[in-house]
Amino acid sequence: MRTVFQAELKQVGDELVAIARLVRQALSEARSAFLETELETAQGVISNDARIDLLQDELDERSIDILARQSPVASDLRTLVAALRMSTSLERMGDLARHLAQDARRRFPEAVIPERLADDYARLFELDLAILDGVIEMLETRDISFYERIAEQKAQVSAMHRGILDAMGRPDWDAPVHTTVDVTLSARYLERMSDHGIAVARKVSYLVTGQWAPPA
């Protein structure tokens, strides 16, 4: 019976990794759609988000079923509760990638952001993708040494987000209202992506050490 239980826990972990990989793919494709105004790519991200939602629902149902049947305690209970919370964070990251793709589709064939911010956005996408890579490694290996790097990347995202907001408040900001709104929202989406990434990393660290890592 214990062997079956451990196999079920492993399946939950494998499903978390599968969701994280789909989110990583969604963000990578959203980057292309957003920065390179690729309409077909944007539509693919939007359509494929349903797959992430479905996998999250299935993982949550599986975790709740295990809780009901096995009545786990101690570390096993923490693992299942953490899986439920991590799946929510990953699903929201998928939603954020979808939002970015929707921005690209709505403004096509024009760019969502002004040229002056293109390098900043490219860096934000790069950092968020790196955070997801670290999250996937932590989920697969439980190697908490990745946490410090993810925290640093998250701090960089936060600083860049503040910088973009500051740029919009300067006297030389002359973008039209709809562009200002797009920049405000899309920068927030990318910042929130890093928030959810560090949240998942903290939960993995907690499962390994029994202690909460300091917030980024």
Side-chain angles (χ1 to χ4, degrees):
M1 191 58 142
R2 185 68 181 173
T3 301
V4 172
F5 179 41
Q6 290 304 313
E8 290 177 325
L9 288 178
K10 182 179 184 304
Q11 185 172 1
V12 168
D14 291 344
E15 289 174 354
L16 277 173
V17 172
I19 294 171
R21 289 190 178 280
L22 284 177
V23 172
R24 207 272 182 200
Q25 178 183 344
L27 181 60
S28 178
E29 292 175 357
R31 173 182 59 180
S32 297
F34 192 94
L35 297 178
E36 300 170 27
T37 62
E38 295 179 358
L39 180 60
E40 185 175 347
T41 303
Q43 187 56 54
V45 174
I46 295 164
S47 299
N48 291 335
D49 185 56
R51 175 63 176 161
I52 295 173
D53 294 344
L54 176 62
L55 287 179
Q56 188 224 355
D57 288 342
E58 291 177 346
L59 184 148
D60 288 355
E61 289 177 5
R62 187 183 312 281
S63 298
I64 291 170
D65 179 66
I66 295 171
L67 285 168
R69 288 186 294 102
Q70 301 287 358
S71 300
V73 296
S75 63
D76 292 336
L77 177 60
R78 289 198 300 270
T79 295
L80 288 169
V81 173
L84 288 166
R85 297 177 66 184
M86 287 189 284
S87 72
T88 297
S89 288
L90 291 169
E91 189 274 334
R92 289 176 179 169
M93 294 173 84
D95 287 345
L96 292 166
R98 187 191 74 230
H99 292 334
L100 291 161
Q102 288 170 328
D103 286 347
R105 183 178 66 177
R106 184 175 61 255
R107 296 303 177 196
F108 181 84
E110 303 297 327
V112 180
I113 57 171
E115 180 62 28
R116 63 190 285 185
L117 292 178
D119 289 344
D120 292 321
Y121 271 78
R123 180 58 177 159
L124 283 171
F125 275 105
E126 179 184 347
L127 286 167
D128 278 343
L129 286 167
I131 287 171
L132 269 167
D133 287 337
V135 165
I136 291 168
E137 289 287 347
M138 289 187 73
L139 288 170
E140 286 185 321
T141 67
R142 299 295 177 94
D143 183 350
I144 62 172
S145 67
F146 287 94
Y147 180 84
E148 185 174 348
R149 187 176 69 188
I150 293 171
E152 172 57 29
Q153 290 161 341
K154 190 270 177 289
Q156 291 181 51
V157 171
S158 295
M160 292 193 70
H161 177 240
R162 290 192 297 270
I164 289 172
L165 296 182
D166 288 344
M168 290 190 292
R170 294 182 189 131
D172 64 343
W173 181 263
D174 58 358
V177 172
H178 75 268
T179 298
T180 301
V181 172
D182 286 344
V183 170
T184 301
L185 292 176
S186 58
R188 178 58 173 159
Y189 297 153
L190 288 163
E191 199 267 338
R192 285 296 293 155
M193 184 78 71
S194 69
D195 286 344
H196 287 298
I198 194 69
V200 175
R202 289 188 72 215
K203 291 178 180 66
V204 176
S205 179
Y206 172 70
L207 289 176
V208 173
T209 67
Q211 298 180 342
W212 286 107

